Amino acid sequence: MKKTRNILTILLIAVVGIINAEEVKINTLSELANYASKSGNVVTISPGIYKLTDYLTLDSMRVRSNRKEYQYITFSGSNNVFNFKGVEIEVDTELRNALKPPIHSDEFLITGNDNTFKGLVIKCIGNGTSPGGTVLQVAGEGNTLEEVTIHVSGSFPYGYGDLFGKGKQKETTIKHRKHSGLLVTGNETKLYNCKVFNRSFGHCFFIQQHPKNVYFEGCYAEGEVRSTDDILTETSGPAFDVNFKTWTQNREGEYVVSPGYMKSLCEDGFRTYGTCENIKFKNCTAKNTRGGFELRFNKASLENCTTIGTERAFWIGDNTTMVGCKGDANYGPLLFVEGSNVNVELVVDTAESDRIVNALATIQGENNKVVLKSDNGQVRKNNLPILVGYTHPMHGESMSPFSEGEATNLHLINETEMPVKIGEKALGCTITTNGLILQNKGKNIKITSKK
């Protein structure tokens, strides 16, 4: 009864807030910055393209840097609705060079609570770079973003993905300046039909600092890809200058770019860091990103999510569930199971390419159930093994070799015709398969053919 009263009180406060909200119409970024710090308003911005440099000039960046004011606009107010339909904020990335912010500084920041943002488009232009920053961070609680779109650019180097490292790692051969799209750190954040088009080395959507109850629905993350063969044709530039030395060992035991692979030029489409409680994805898509959904070390729920042309599609940790999901192994593996107690239902898309792909999936952990389905009865022409009792390659890099890892009490149902390879560290597994068994070095493995 007490819980019901608390919910009714919250709803009543919300309704009263809406009734008392002041409706405001504005047409400048200066006015937007002003109302961003206020509460209880419904703010509508006139449609149009707004150049950030009309509000914040390059000359003003020195003053802001001295004040340690590294955000362009901070939405610190609460209980607001911002209507941005038809509005695009054009962000010159040269502003970041002039501002000289510390690493991981965000450009637009939401710290207030219970706000709704509708229809905003942020587009990066120019040749400036960011030292690891993010275009937009949602840090407050209970905020909702609807149809927010971000076009990201402004990293160095761009054109190689993570071939030469990711930043701080001692193995890095080229120092990076990353620029990401949308970061969530606040509890109860909800994103509906939001999009990130990434032409930068950085993440599209990502979650940090262990927020609870973050929900994505209908969201879309897109990068672009480039073949390693094309990279190896360069006769000048950052890769050439380091003799194409990679930070990860390839399958031949060398630290050099291997031909025949496809690399995403950004980082992950959807990424979690650490344990985040009750994270859900519904009807979301990642295309041409490094990882489609990289949710390691984290409990997550995915429903009807799709990957297209990723380096690695789904990388999941403990207690994750996947229902009605689909992806291809066009440029890299479809699935890495790293945790335990997962429940996976995944359709294997038949898309193929001339790029080298070394496995359909790797599975380790305890008490997992994995169901791999064919796409309406269609199958891939090229066989890719399902590796049971194997780990993902180092750093997830497709050019690197797989290692063996413990897989205990796995229930694998392979409705595709892809073959299965069982390693020495597999124990007590039940495998029902349409595909051939290439190898069985496991112990107490029960194998049933579906044919």
Side-chain angles (χ1 to χ4, degrees), residues 208-391:
Q208 290 182 329
Q209 299 181 22
H210 317 295
K212 299 178 181 179
N213 305 322
V214 177
Y215 182 72
F216 294 82
E217 182 174 334
C219 294
Y220 179 79
E222 181 187 290
E224 58 182 352
V225 295
R226 184 185 182 195
S227 72
T228 54
D229 303 77
D230 187 49
I231 292 169
L232 288 167
T233 64
E234 293 187 358
T235 56
S236 63
F240 181 82
D241 291 342
V242 297
N243 296 317
F244 303 99
K245 182 181 178 181
T246 60
W247 75 308
T248 303
Q249 191 177 35
N250 65 18
R251 298 174 74 86
E252 289 72 43
E254 300 175 336
Y255 290 85
V256 67
V257 177
S258 299
Y261 291 87
M262 188 70 82
K263 290 294 295 183
S264 172
L265 306 187
C266 68
E267 291 191 288
D268 304 320
F270 300 88
R271 174 68 182 264
T272 59
Y273 285 89
T275 302
C276 309
E277 185 177 326
N278 193 27
I279 308 300
K280 294 184 178 180
F281 302 87
K282 182 178 180 180
N283 299 332
C284 295
T285 300
K287 180 179 180 180
N288 293 346
T289 58
R290 182 182 65 187
F293 295 81
E294 188 156 323
L295 314 174
R296 304 170 64 193
F297 317 120
N298 189 80
K299 178 181 179 180
S301 172
L302 297 89
E303 179 181 351
N304 298 330
C305 292
T306 303
T307 63
I308 303 167
T310 58
E311 278 191 55
R312 49 188 185 256
F314 299 93
W315 191 341
I316 60 173
D318 293 342
N319 303 299
T320 290
T321 61
M322 295 174 55
V323 178
C325 295
K326 181 179 180 178
D328 64 47
N330 201 13
Y331 300 141
L334 173 63
L335 177 68
F336 293 149
V337 175
E338 188 173 7
S340 299
N341 303 305
V342 309
N343 195 334
V344 172
E345 176 191 292
L346 183 55
V347 174
V348 181
D349 191 285
T350 57
E352 300 191 52
S353 72
D354 64 350
R355 300 293 87 192
I356 298 172
V357 181
N358 295 300
L360 182 69
T362 66
I363 305 171
Q364 56 182 314
E366 300 179 0
N367 304 317
N368 294 320
K369 181 178 180 180
V370 177
V371 180
L372 297 175
K373 299 183 175 184
S374 64
D375 188 6
N376 294 319
Q378 301 179 44
V379 296
R380 289 176 52 94
K381 295 178 181 178
N382 295 327
N383 285 338
L384 297 178
I386 300 164
L387 304 181
V388 175
Y390 288 84
T391 72

Side-chain angles (χ1 to χ4, degrees), residues 2 9 20 24 39 52 63 88 90 98 110 135 176 184 229 278 298 319 321 341 360 383 413 417 423 445:
K2 182 177 179 180
T9 300
N20 293 331
V24 180
S39 298
L52 189 61
V63 175
E88 178 182 304
E90 186 180 89
I110 301 169
V135 175
H176 289 72
V184 175
D229 303 77
N278 193 27
N298 189 80
N319 303 299
T321 61
N341 303 305
L360 182 69
N383 285 338
I413 301 175
E417 293 186 5
I445 308 297

